Amino acid sequence: MDVPDMNLPPDRSHVPTEGRLPEATGSDALPTADFLLLMSDQDAVAAAAVRKAVPQIAAFVDAIVRRFKDNGRVFYAGAGTSGRLGVLDASECPPTFDVEPGRVVGIIAGGTSALTVSSEGLEDDRRGIADVFGRFDLTDRDTVLGITAGGTTPYALGAIELGAEKGCLTGLLTCGIVPDEPKPDHVLHLQTGPEVLVGSTRLKAGTATKLALNMISTGLMVRMNKTHDDLMVDLRATNDKLEDRAARILMWMLDLSRDDAFRMLEAGEGRVKTAIVMATKGVDFLEAEDLLDETEGNLRKAIA
């Protein structure tokens, strides 16, 4: 008897995140606390996988810096959980580091609506990001990071290919396999292994991906002189929480009372670094801004 033709999906049984975790056998019968301890133990595996990949992550960050200083941009591209994590990390950069919107961009298959309503079917289009990239007019100063937990998502892999066509620096962030194609400039392989629930990469793989993205964006901003010691000195005080944090930074760095810190912050027009330079060097607002421009925003050098 003839077997009818079937349009079967690709076999992903070789992908580590699709495997079974021996420790999870019988997990549905465990008491709640024991099951959650199993999850917690696996979260530690995620952190260890990221730590092992630090040399690769650092090399990627250092490669981005020169392009970013030349007004380049960073694009995260992914579908499902991977895409959501990229959008989350990108959206935190403007308020945290006073980075202009559009310098770090998260793109998810399906667009903004996919952040709250699943549209995972769109991840199968390898050219799906082409129209979005077309609106950004990519250049060789830009960076494209494809994020795919399993390492097989066509949408993310296609983003890497399209970025390479435009001369962008490219990277692949995966917890699964490293595919033969495309061949990005940097591979960030977080070997987290099987999940507590088979294939549920919002768990351990998602945790590892979030940790790695934290490192990429924060490491980049440290190299861009957005911090001093452990302080986010490039923040602009635009709401009550940030005003309070900005004042405490000035209190710590300048040994001021809270009232004096707020007065100094006002003199610096809400810009923490500018206020610090004004107080430390005894200069006015414009002179402080000039000093920061001369040092590419490096506060340590500006107040030396």
Side-chain angles (χ1 to χ4, degrees):
M1 187 172 96
D2 293 335
V3 178
D5 292 335
M6 292 187 293
N7 186 20
L8 299 177
D11 182 359
R12 301 180 71 249
S13 60
H14 62 296
V15 177
T17 54
E18 294 294 325
R20 298 190 66 181
L21 182 72
E23 296 89 334
T25 300
S27 58
D28 62 305
L30 291 173
T32 300
D34 289 345
F35 178 74
L36 299 183
L37 284 171
L38 170 64
M39 291 187 65
S40 182
D41 288 343
Q42 292 303 306
D43 287 339
V45 172
V50 175
R51 184 178 180 84
K52 185 177 179 180
V54 162
Q56 291 75 42
I57 299 170
F60 183 55
V61 170
D62 287 340
I64 297 172
V65 171
R66 177 177 59 82
R67 293 167 174 81
F68 205 79
K69 285 184 176 180
D70 195 23
N71 210 35
R73 300 161 294 180
V74 176
F75 294 91
Y76 298 140
T81 299
S82 295
R84 295 180 190 103
L85 290 170
V87 171
L88 173 62
D89 192 75
S91 68
E92 294 286 357
C93 288
T96 305
F97 299 109
D98 194 28
V99 177
E100 305 94 319
R103 295 295 306 282
V104 183
V105 180
I107 302 172
I108 181 172
T112 304
S113 63
L115 294 173
T116 55
V117 179
S118 175
S119 60
E120 268 78 349
L122 297 174
E123 71 182 44
D124 294 333
D125 185 356
R126 202 163 180 112
R127 306 288 293 185
I129 203 169
D131 288 344
V132 180
F133 273 175
R135 295 197 292 271
F136 282 103
D137 192 22
L138 300 184
T139 75
D140 59 5
R141 294 172 296 174
D142 296 325
T143 299
V144 173
L145 178 67
I147 309 170
T148 162
T152 64
T153 306
Y155 187 89
L157 300 180
I160 295 170
E161 292 172 340
L162 290 168
E165 290 174 9
K166 296 294 186 179
C168 299
L169 177 75
T170 58
L172 168 68
L173 174 55
T174 180
C175 299
I177 64 168
V178 177
D180 293 333
E181 294 291 341
K183 296 187 183 302
D185 299 309
H186 293 262
V187 174
L188 315 179
H189 193 191
L190 315 178
Q191 301 182 54
T192 55
E195 298 284 0
V196 169
L197 302 178
V198 175
S200 184
T201 51
R202 71 184 183 87
L203 300 177
K204 187 165 52 175
T207 298
T209 297
K210 179 66 169 70
L211 292 173
L213 291 173
N214 284 350
M215 288 184 173
I216 292 168
S217 57
T218 306
L220 172 61
M221 296 308 161
V222 169
R223 294 281 76 84
M224 293 298 297
N225 300 318
K226 296 290 185 179
T227 64
H228 181 90
D229 293 332
D230 58 337
L231 304 175
M232 295 185 293
V233 290
D234 237 4
L235 69 80
R236 293 195 189 187
T238 56
N239 61 25
D240 287 349
K241 179 185 72 175
L242 294 179
E243 283 185 9
D244 173 68
R245 184 179 300 157
R248 280 186 282 112
I249 291 173
L250 294 178
M251 291 167 67
W252 286 326
M253 289 204 63
L254 302 173
D255 194 24
L256 298 176
S257 68
R258 182 174 169 82
D259 287 345
D260 285 343
F262 276 107
R263 280 190 282 270
M264 196 68 240
L265 184 62
E266 183 178 3
E269 299 184 11
R271 302 187 182 195
V272 174
K273 275 203 296 198
T274 305
I276 292 170
V277 175
M278 290 171 66
T280 304
K281 304 295 286 187
V283 297
D284 63 23
F285 179 86
L286 291 178
E287 290 173 314
E289 290 278 281
D290 286 342
L291 277 172
L292 287 167
D293 285 342
E294 291 171 9
T295 61
E296 295 185 328
N298 189 310
L299 180 59
R300 194 175 300 278
K301 292 180 180 178
I303 62 177

